[in-house]
């Protein structure tokens, strides 16, 4: 049985479509938007007017005249009215919070050192969120949190061995505390969103993140692969050597023990003269682990996100050489292995993109922000 179409769904989809075309820094006239979307002029005018009222878009000066007639007024993302708050729990020893604008740029940021190394207390997350909300002031329309681990579509942290969390209803907790829309996402998914929409990513891409642990994320036709248990991309605890070193998860020889930034830094610290060999071996291990999923999904774009002292030419070169040696054939082009070049804030900025994807379809954002 088919569900009836809802006009409000079409309007929300049109808002998302127009916002995405302008994000992060394009300037287009309404006529341009009609050409790129196929929307009628009346619909584009109606929806963009609504989005201007909501603080999502703003009008700029007149654009270049194309042929006869008056040049159209350019539209762009409005960065002055609305704000987001995002928190990154993916980095070791520190929590990072930021106030963001609608182009996913950081306006204010704060860091809190973790007293217990990697373990994160929920009260500390609430405290940091509250501090960032106060800094954001009026105009706040959403909160995002990036978490290392398995996160459900409803924002429940199913498992995060690095944080020491199991079945934490983080979205419900934050929404109940602050009465704002909240997005909770896996940290690798957040980094991939940043790479896709703010960096050099493609609609079909695999991103591997190596920070406190190792995680991966996959986009296929601009849609995340989530899996039945929301655990797609959890490759860090796949055993690649049963006789390998002990892992925090209780197994031995997990990929994370060989290629995480923490593990590699510790190995280099103990044997600094072998730095290049250690990184090359890690790159080869990573390439071997990625050859099968990249071939299975016919992906040609692999991004690696991590600290520059680890994710550099040595590791990336070895990874590229191995993944192509193991998977390349006559009818597939070479896989590109590259560094995600958005710096330490990629996860924060990607989490802002996730919040935007959640809220831009909603009407009345400015009014809701003013009343919160």
């Amino acid at each position: 049985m088919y569900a009836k179409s809802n006009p409000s769904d079409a309007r929300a989809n049109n808002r998302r479509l127009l916002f995405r075309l302008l994000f992060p820094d394009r300037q287009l006239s309404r006529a341009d938007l009609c050409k790129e979307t196929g929307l009628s002029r009346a619909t584009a005018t109606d929806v963009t007017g609504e989005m201007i009222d909501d603080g999502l878009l703003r009008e700029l000066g007149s654009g270049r005249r194309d042929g006869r007639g008056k040049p159209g007024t350019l539209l762009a993302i409005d960065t002055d009215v609305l704000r987001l708050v995002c928190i990154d729990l993916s980095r070791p020893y520190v929590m990072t919070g930021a106030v963001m604008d609608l182009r996913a740029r950081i306006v204010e940021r704060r860091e809190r050192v973790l007293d217990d190394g990697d373990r994160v207390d929920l009260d500390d997350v609430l405290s940091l969120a509250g501090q960032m909300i106060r800094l954001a002031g009026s105009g706040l329309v959403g909160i995002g949190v990036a978490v290392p681990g398995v996160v459900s579509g409803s924002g429940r942290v199913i498992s995060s061995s690095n944080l020491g969390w199991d079945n934490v209803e983080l979205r419900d907790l934050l929404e109940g505390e602050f009465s704002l829309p909240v997005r909770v996402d896996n940290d690798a998914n957040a980094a991939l969103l940043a790479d896709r929409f703010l960096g050099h990513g493609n609609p079909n891409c695999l991103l591997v993140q190596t920070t406190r642990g190792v995680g991966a994320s996959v986009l296929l036709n601009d849609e995340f692969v989530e899996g039945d248990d929301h655990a797609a991309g959890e490759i860090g605890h796949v055993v690649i050597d049963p006789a390998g070193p002990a892992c925090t998860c209780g197994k031995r020889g997990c990929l994370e023990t060989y290629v995480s930034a923490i593990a590699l830094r510790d190995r280099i610290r103990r044997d600094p003269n072998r730095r290049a060999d250690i990184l090359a071996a890690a790159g080869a291990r990573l390439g071997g682990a990625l050859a099968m999923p990249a071939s299975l999904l016919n992906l040609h774009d692999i991004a690696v996100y991590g600290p520059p002292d680890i994710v550099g030419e040595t590791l990336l070169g070895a990874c590229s050489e191995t993944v192509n040696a193991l998977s390349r054939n006559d009818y597939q082009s070479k896989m590109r292995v590259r560094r995600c070049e958005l710096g330490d804030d990629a996860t924060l900025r990607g989490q802002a993109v996730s919040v935007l994807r959640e809220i831009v379809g909603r009407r009345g954002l400015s009014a809701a922000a003013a009343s919160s």
Side-chain angles (χ1 to χ4, degrees), residues 328-347:
R328 187 141 182 225
N329 50 52
D330 292 338
Y331 51 86
Q332 286 184 324
S333 56
K334 183 178 180 180
M335 295 182 191
R336 177 177 65 147
V337 179
R338 59 182 174 83
R339 173 177 166 77
C340 174
E341 298 178 349
L342 293 172
D344 291 341
D345 294 327
T347 305

Side-chain angles (χ1 to χ4, degrees), residues 183-224:
R183 280 288 309 181
V184 179
D185 295 284
N186 170 268
D187 58 336
N189 284 4
L192 181 50
L193 277 177
D195 185 70
R196 170 68 181 99
F197 294 106
L198 302 167
H200 303 289
N202 295 292
N204 299 293
C205 181
L206 186 158
L207 179 139
V208 178
Q209 175 171 277
T210 171
T211 50
R212 71 163 76 212
V214 175
S217 181
V218 175
L219 277 179
L220 291 180
N221 298 320
D222 269 338
E223 294 291 336
F224 280 112

Side-chain angles (χ1 to χ4, degrees), residues 155-186:
R156 175 169 59 97
V157 182
I158 298 170
S159 177
S160 177
S161 59
N162 287 310
L163 300 183
W165 291 0
D166 288 296
N167 293 313
V168 175
E169 298 285 357
L170 187 57
R171 189 189 74 177
D172 289 350
L173 178 67
L174 289 167
E175 287 188 344
E177 183 74 16
F178 300 114
S179 300
L180 286 162
V182 175
R183 280 288 309 181
V184 179
D185 295 284
N186 170 268

Side-chain angles (χ1 to χ4, degrees), residues 281-302:
R285 291 265 191 185
L286 183 59
L290 297 180
M292 183 65 76
S295 295
L296 178 67
L297 300 174
N298 190 208
L299 297 172
H300 299 124
D301 186 21
I302 298 173

